[in-house]
Amino acid sequence: MTDPTLTKIHAERPPLFAALPPEVSIYEVGPRDGLQNESTVLPVERKVELIEGLVDAGVKRIELTSFVNPRWIPALADHMEVASRVRRKPGVSYSALVPNLRGLDSATRAGMQEIAVFMAASQTHNRKNINKSTEEALATYREVVREGIARGMTVRGYVSTVYGCPYEGAISLDSVIHVAAELLAMGVYEISLGDTIGVGTPRQVEYILDGLMRAGIRLDQLAVHFHDTRGTALANITVALQFGIRTVDSAVGGLGGCPYAPGASGNVATEDVVYMLHGMGVQTGVDLDKLVAISERLSGQLARELPSKYLKAHLGHCARLGRPV
Ligand code: HMG
Ligand code: MG
């Protein structure tokens, strides 16, 4: 028997995905956020090949490496060689993390035209990750951003631990707004909101984006950066896009995690995001076949199974058909 209440709700329901955009900008963080946490360190040539392959697959924005202290992130100690050797393709934006003026000088020598400054909404995570309090980090970045812009660079900003901190637990919306607003006031063009340990849920996404908007931050100044630790990343992305976000960070193969965030696992996989978006009629400009081939090669080079669900499904499908990948 048909339930008349349900029939009425169905008839009056507005279209669910009316607010989805026709296209989304993918910001690829695999070579940086992905490889920073791998125990197998790829040689420079493989890293360069990975980056150039991702660009060939259609990625238009990509993070190459981090100009941080190699003692803190040994896997990216080759930052100078990698960033200098990648052939630049016109129309593609290449970025790298920079924690201080020393990192900015290295980035300048490597020919970087875009950099990203990064810090957390959590005091403790800032201490553990960049050895500074929140206010000390902001003071450092004031100089870095001013100097970077004076050198003709564009500067992106990260606010991590937005949805929760591995040391402090819940993080107040006020601290997120404070750090994001300070970074934007310095001249950062976009803030990427990091769910560093993958604890966020869709309602929380709405709450945080709504709070930032009410604080006067425009949606075109925001990007989302989810880790899929608890399987909520794609749902969170769908809500963020419905809310009006147009830039999504992701890592090929679902690589990644912050070595100074215990419990952090992979970033949402680029191929999972691209598959879902293309399936919903949202374009990314990324070729899914090329992307999954890169992911598969990477899995061999790192000698481990990667978290990407699309990759797993693809490999299973190829095995069933007895076809090479
Ligand atoms: P510190 O030890 O406080 O730095 O580290 P210092 O200024 O006291 O200097 C100590 C030594 O480091 C000196 O060398 C400096 O020259 C050297 P020494 O005299 O002892 O031989 N040094 C550097 N060397 C190379 N490049 C540099 C540099 N700076 C200083 N840029 C620092 C402070 C910030 C440098 C350190 O804590 C660091 O490098 N941290 C980076 C940690 C990191 O990269 N974590 C992963 C980032 S992922 C993340 O944050 C989340 C994100 O992915 C979003 C998300 O997923 O949610 C963005
Ligand atoms: Mg990340």
Side-chain angles (χ1 to χ4, degrees):
M1 207 179 70
T2 330
D3 179 337
T5 324
L6 281 182
T7 309
K8 185 165 177 290
I9 289 172
H10 189 252
E12 289 169 359
R13 181 177 59 79
L16 262 184
F17 298 107
L20 279 184
E23 60 186 315
V24 160
S25 169
I26 298 286
Y27 184 97
E28 172 64 47
V29 296
R32 190 279 302 171
D33 197 348
L35 296 183
Q36 75 183 7
N37 205 29
E38 288 295 326
S39 49
T40 302
V41 179
L42 296 185
V44 172
E45 307 78 69
R46 293 289 84 75
K47 290 186 178 180
V48 171
E49 185 182 87
L50 167 68
I51 294 160
E52 292 178 354
L54 288 164
V55 169
D56 178 61
V59 165
K60 291 276 183 302
R61 302 171 72 190
I62 186 160
E63 228 162 60
L64 307 183
T65 188
S66 297
F67 292 97
V68 298
N69 183 343
R71 282 204 291 273
W72 284 65
I73 306 285
L76 302 183
D78 55 7
H79 44 230
M80 211 58 202
E81 294 95 302
V82 171
S84 311
R85 277 169 61 171
V86 168
R87 263 172 302 162
R88 306 302 201 259
K89 186 175 172 183
V92 175
S93 138
Y94 300 85
S95 187
L97 293 199
V98 161
N100 52 20
L101 287 172
R102 164 129 191 223
L104 178 66
D105 286 340
S106 306
T108 309
R109 285 201 307 282
M112 299 305 302
Q113 290 177 348
E114 175 164 327
I115 56 165
V117 295
F118 60 104
M119 60 184 291
S122 143
Q123 279 286 356
T124 317
H125 190 261
N126 282 326
R127 279 261 170 245
K128 304 267 187 193
N129 194 40
I130 48 176
N131 205 18
K132 291 181 178 70
S133 69
T134 298
E135 293 311 316
E136 285 165 351
L138 286 170
T140 300
Y141 288 145
R142 244 168 242 124
E143 284 187 82
V144 172
V145 176
R146 189 186 336 106
E147 191 52 34
I149 291 173
R151 293 182 194 183
M153 294 171 172
T154 48
V155 188
R156 189 179 208 230
Y158 279 98
V159 180
S160 50
T161 68
V162 165
Y163 295 82
C165 169
Y167 306 103
E168 293 183 14
I171 292 295
S172 76
L173 181 56
D174 284 347
S175 357
V176 176
I177 292 172
H178 170 62
V179 174
E182 289 284 338
L183 290 173
L184 285 167
M186 293 174 202
V188 155
Y189 75 92
E190 177 178 85
I191 297 285
S192 172
L193 300 165
D195 183 9
T196 314
I197 51 167
V199 286
T201 55
R203 276 233 155 132
Q204 208 183 349
V205 175
E206 183 188 31
Y207 171 73
I208 286 165
L209 293 177
D210 184 67
L212 287 160
M213 258 186 80
R214 285 174 198 275
I217 295 175
R218 299 193 319 270
L219 287 172
D220 64 2
Q221 295 176 305
L222 296 173
V224 288
H225 180 116
F226 291 109
H227 284 243
D228 203 24
T229 320
R230 291 165 182 78
T232 52
L234 289 178
N236 290 342
I237 288 171
T238 307
V239 168
L241 296 182
Q242 291 272 84
F243 201 95
I245 296 294
R246 298 294 176 258
T247 298
V248 174
D249 295 4
S250 58
V252 62
L255 290 179
C258 174
Y260 299 99
S265 68
N267 290 274
V268 66
T270 308
E271 50 271 42
D272 294 358
V273 175
V274 168
Y275 171 78
M276 180 183 83
L277 293 182
H278 290 185
M280 292 198 293
V282 179
Q283 296 317 308
T284 64
V286 180
D287 181 322
L288 191 51
D289 292 337
K290 285 188 176 177
L291 192 60
V292 79
I294 294 171
S295 222
E296 208 255 332
R297 200 163 50 239
L298 201 50
S299 169
Q301 291 166 349
L302 296 170
R304 74 176 185 96
E305 205 177 289
L306 301 185
S308 160
K309 293 174 187 63
Y310 185 83
L311 173 65
K312 281 195 184 74
H314 180 77
L315 292 175
H317 183 67
C318 291
R320 275 194 304 280
L321 295 179
R323 243 180 29 201
V325 180

